Amino acid sequence: MLAMDSIQNVDQLNLKLESTLQELPVWTIQIEIDHPGNELAMLFEEDPLLPGIILTKDKKYVGMISRRLFFEQMSRPYGLGLFAGRPVEYLYNFLQPKTFIYAEDTPIVEATQIALGRSHKQVYEPLVITDQSYQYGLLDFHQLLLANSQIHVLTLNRLQKETEKARIAKADFRDLQHNYSRLLQNDKMIALGQLVAGIAHEINNPMNFIYGNLNYAVEYVQDILYILENYKQELSYADAISEAKEKGIEIEFILEDLPKLLSSMKVGATRVNEIVLSLRNFSRLDQAEIKFVDIHEGIENTLIILKHSLKARPERVEIELIKEYDKLPLIKCYAGQLNQVFMNILVNAIDALSESDNLILKTRKNLQIRIRTEITNDHYVIVRIADNGSGISEEVQKRLFDPFFTTKAVGKGTGLGLSISYQIVVEKHGGELYCISTPGEGSEFIIKIPVVSNHSDEIQQTSKFMDEFDSK
């Protein structure tokens, strides 16, 4: 506790919002309770600011008499005569003042609230402060109010600063949100560019096949039409064929090759149709809402789009795709978003197997991506996508799903793919997404999705679906 003679005003103190009573100056003037009452008057007259006097017996705390109570009693008729010459104990027992004792570690704000809650007769009485060694001092109520006012000013200043910080933080957050949106859009455009390049590559082959055969088909049809025109002029079939041969038309070859050519063109057109259908199913433009869908269909549509990325390159052998599909029920999900998760993880797996400067991959005789699906007893569908690449270090694994974290070269990724995938699986579908990897051996991403979310009506649907599934 600070003695009052060491400091005269709380304005000289460096208070904080959490300051306690021990930081305030207190009066420590004491008198033994067996001393005559006129000694109290002398002490009060010596210091007009003294708020009260601590009473002791054998140097142990007994109580306190305030200046207000003492002079109020002394001013009454016969008060001075009755108590001036008698021990202070008589006056104390007569007044029986109510004393409020506070621990020195009580916060100033809390002590002020308690003090103001006293009765109107007690509200201006000094407070008795005690420390851990049971030393006592008196705190003037007005000094407490001044300290509380100073803290109030500090609170207002702090509030203004925090308000300004909040304003700046809000502005920074808007900027961050704007930049995040730009990066997210950039990531989408990069993914879209890769997707378009892959689709263009996939469509190019069957389209070239169709286009290359189209000229021959036109020639064959024109030759056949020429023969038919001659035949219409009442020539015999033999004469029509003979005249056609004179013009270099080999009808036997045309009759043999045209069906093959048309069949090949049909195969090419079918392939283009499959790619377009897979792209439509992948994006699920017609199924933006949550619906029951076939997980395997989503995986297959994604693989069709990425098929060109699996093929051999000058710097890399072909990536072998191994599929181990379990019998799965339909699951309730946002199909387009879940397909995006498959795309992100599969693209990362392909990139991991395409590191041309990786010594581990150069020693691999074959590169593989393995996709496994299963259904658990607690009605969860699990999709495992594993590669036999160089693996991921433990330090990198801890940050895999952090926004903006990427191990790719500058310009090849924004670090949002896995972060977005995590949000889709965990936050959007209530599932789990995590990675298991051993450096030098490969990585496995595990996607765990509930068949439906945990709403009561959906649980009933789950049971119905699972019952139908088990009966098949």
Side-chain angles (χ1 to χ4, degrees), residues 165-378:
K165 286 182 181 179
R167 185 190 67 78
I168 295 173
K170 188 176 182 180
D172 291 343
F173 176 76
R174 284 198 298 266
D175 292 340
L176 180 63
Q177 193 175 38
H178 177 67
N179 291 334
Y180 177 80
S181 299
R182 289 175 58 190
L183 284 172
L184 187 60
Q185 184 64 24
N186 185 46
D187 185 78
K188 288 182 177 179
M189 293 305 296
I190 291 173
L192 181 61
Q194 295 172 344
L195 182 63
V196 170
I199 295 170
H201 183 86
E202 282 297 298
I203 292 179
N204 187 56
N205 288 336
M207 286 303 296
N208 283 341
F209 198 71
I210 296 172
Y211 186 77
N213 286 319
L214 190 59
N215 290 333
Y216 295 107
V218 171
E219 291 180 6
Y220 290 168
V221 171
Q222 288 177 343
D223 292 342
I224 293 175
L225 290 175
Y226 176 79
I227 295 174
L228 289 176
E229 285 294 329
N230 288 340
Y231 194 64
K232 284 170 60 178
Q233 296 175 7
E234 298 182 357
L235 292 175
S236 66
Y237 176 76
D239 292 337
I241 295 300
S242 176
E243 188 172 335
K245 284 184 177 181
E246 290 178 2
K247 298 198 100 189
I249 300 175
E250 297 291 336
I251 187 62
E252 290 83 3
F253 175 78
I254 292 175
L255 294 176
E256 180 182 354
D257 192 51
L258 182 57
K260 296 178 182 178
L261 185 143
L262 292 175
S263 177
S264 299
M265 292 175 67
K266 182 179 179 181
V267 170
T270 302
R271 176 61 180 156
V272 171
N273 183 62
E274 289 176 352
I275 294 170
V276 173
L277 181 61
S278 296
L279 179 60
R280 175 173 166 270
N281 291 336
F282 172 81
S283 61
R284 294 284 180 174
L285 295 176
D286 57 340
Q287 296 183 22
E289 298 299 324
I290 189 167
K291 290 186 177 182
F292 282 96
V293 298
D294 183 357
I295 281 289
H296 292 151
E297 181 183 353
I299 296 174
E300 288 299 317
N301 290 326
T302 307
L303 290 174
I304 289 175
I305 295 171
L306 293 176
K307 185 176 181 181
H308 71 286
S309 300
L310 302 173
K311 295 177 181 178
R313 301 176 183 175
E315 74 280 2
R316 190 206 69 198
V317 299
E318 182 177 358
I319 298 176
E320 180 185 1
L321 188 63
I322 302 173
K323 293 182 284 188
E324 299 174 356
Y325 291 167
D326 196 3
K327 184 180 178 183
L328 300 181
L330 301 180
I331 73 167
K332 195 170 188 180
C333 66
Y334 295 94
Q337 295 184 17
L338 210 53
N339 289 345
Q340 184 181 355
V341 174
F342 299 146
M343 172 70 77
N344 289 338
I345 295 177
L346 285 168
V347 166
N348 281 348
I350 293 171
D351 289 344
L353 295 173
S354 302
E355 299 173 356
S356 58
D357 58 343
N358 193 298
L359 295 177
I360 295 176
L361 297 180
K362 287 181 179 179
T363 61
R364 292 274 193 267
K365 294 182 179 179
N366 59 346
L367 302 178
Q368 293 180 343
I369 292 179
R370 184 184 301 270
I371 304 175
R372 290 190 295 163
T373 62
E374 59 182 297
I375 181 74
T376 64
N377 292 331
D378 54 350

Side-chain angles (χ1 to χ4, degrees), residues 15-16 18-24 104-108:
L15 297 178
K16 300 179 289 294
E18 63 276 7
S19 291
T20 59
L21 294 177
Q22 68 183 37
E23 300 178 44
L24 300 181
E104 65 174 359
D105 59 355
T106 304
I108 293 175

